[in-house]
Amino acid sequence: MINMSILKSLGLSINPKLHVTVLTGAGISIESGVPIFRGKGSMWEIPEARRLAMRASPPWNNKETWEFYEWRRKLVSQCKPNAAHYTLVEMENYFENFCLITQNVDGLHIKAGSKRVLELHGNMWKGRCMKCGKIIDLPETPLKTLPPCCECGYPLRPHVVQFGEPIDNKILIEALKASKEAELFLVIGTSGVVSPASQMPILALENGAKVIEINPNPTVLTPYMSLSIRGKAAETLPKLWKSFFTD
Ligand code: OAD
């Protein structure tokens, strides 16, 4: 299906100065083995995940919350970045103005080698101190003690945005700026139902970007897209990237 220059068909041409912004969601990691959040194949189909998640509670720096996160961290520790993650590293290396925005907390973009990543919802490999505000790397699983503690002695919470919590302002401002400035915006593997991430492709469109969605299923964003490609991220993104260099 991707057998022509998709960029040209959208009136764009490949060059390192093209402003490119990418938004990823759980779908980009599913071929790595990380379950998504909604629908078939979601994390909530796993009874153990449901059981542990129900015990996690505010203020999120307790043992029960960490037991849920340790379950997720163990699962993700066995997962490797896939071809879609690596293609985004190639894109970052090619484009001078490239920004990767992700809703994922699995850390797989960074593991693949992406450098400029705006992790809207945080990162499960970090903990945050609710007393001194320090963010601590926690790369090992299992952790020695639950909850893990900050250098100041206070129990850490996972550095992950919970439902209803605000996104870090600095990250949000940067993500909105990159969305506004984009000439090409890719939306990969997100259902597009969680705000403010879901508004970013629309902001890009309103500011003149061409927006391409990659998803095996239609989403609420599909009707607005310049182009929707039905396919799995790890298969489709490398092909799309190759097509940019096809006449
Ligand atoms: P969802 O689980 O809502 O959506 C995953 C999307 O991936 C769906 O649209 C699927 O059709 C699509 N998908 C499935 N397989 C795919 C594949 N192989 N390649 C590409 N796409 C595929 O996940 P998100 O949109 O990321 O928030 O969810 C947004 C937020 O909701 C998450 O970040 C999380 C959750 O609450 C927090 O953790 C704070």
Side-chain angles (χ1 to χ4, degrees):
M1 170 179 165
I2 304 173
N3 52 10
M4 56 177 291
S5 173
I6 299 270
L7 272 194
K8 259 192 194 162
S9 71
L10 294 174
L12 296 171
S13 58
I14 185 76
N15 80 81
K17 300 218 176 295
L18 192 72
H19 276 253
V20 179
T21 299
V22 180
L23 171 68
T24 65
I28 197 168
S29 294
I30 197 163
E31 287 154 284
S32 294
V34 185
I36 54 177
F37 288 92
R38 289 168 188 80
K40 202 170 166 286
S42 88
M43 178 163 69
W44 310 121
E45 287 179 347
I46 306 170
E48 183 70 347
R50 278 207 310 270
R51 187 183 72 77
L52 290 169
M54 278 170 67
R55 297 173 65 229
S57 62
W60 313 115
N61 62 350
N62 46 52
K63 186 166 179 272
E64 290 75 16
T65 297
W66 278 103
E67 280 170 350
F68 174 51
Y69 274 89
E70 279 292 78
W71 180 87
R72 290 181 71 185
R73 284 157 52 92
K74 184 175 175 210
L75 188 153
V76 173
S77 72
Q78 292 153 0
C79 300
K80 293 189 177 73
N82 64 50
H85 296 102
Y86 288 119
T87 300
L88 292 175
V89 180
E90 283 181 37
M91 293 176 82
E92 180 173 5
N93 290 337
Y94 178 82
F95 293 112
E96 290 166 19
N97 297 295
F98 181 85
C99 181
L100 173 55
I101 306 166
T102 188
Q103 297 164 90
N104 299 345
V105 300
D106 57 30
L108 288 181
H109 285 303
I110 291 168
K111 201 168 179 185
S114 286
K115 302 244 158 30
R116 189 175 174 213
V117 189
L118 300 177
E119 293 178 311
L120 287 180
H121 295 161
N123 184 313
M124 62 161 70
W125 300 105
K126 294 177 181 175
R128 189 169 77 245
C129 180
M130 293 162 75
K131 194 171 173 202
C132 72
K134 197 157 186 177
I135 295 165
I136 311 261
D137 285 333
L138 300 169
E140 302 301 331
T141 182
L143 291 161
K144 287 193 185 71
T145 52
L146 298 185
C149 283
C150 180
E151 289 151 9
C152 75
Y154 202 76
L156 296 168
R157 61 166 278 173
H159 184 48
V160 172
V161 173
Q162 305 293 328
F163 257 112
E165 290 184 333
I167 287 170
D168 179 280
N169 253 333
K170 197 169 163 274
I171 292 176
L172 183 58
I173 288 166
E174 265 194 74
L176 292 173
K177 184 170 179 281
S179 304
K180 272 192 202 160
E181 288 174 355
E183 294 167 275
L184 175 66
F185 193 107
L186 305 181
V187 191
I188 306 170
T190 178
S191 56
V193 296
V194 175
S195 181
S198 56
Q199 294 161 17
M200 291 172 187
I202 305 299
L203 186 64
L205 272 172
E206 280 173 352
N207 284 274
K210 301 294 181 196
V211 184
I212 304 177
E213 175 185 63
I214 296 179
N215 198 309
N217 305 302
T219 71
V220 289
L221 295 171
T222 302
Y224 307 100
M225 298 292 98
S226 313
L227 177 70
S228 274
I229 304 174
R230 294 277 150 264
K232 296 178 175 178
E235 288 169 11
T236 310
L237 185 62
K239 287 187 194 156
L240 177 68
W241 177 225
K242 207 168 156 204
S243 91
F244 286 4
F245 297 91
T246 310
D247 280 333

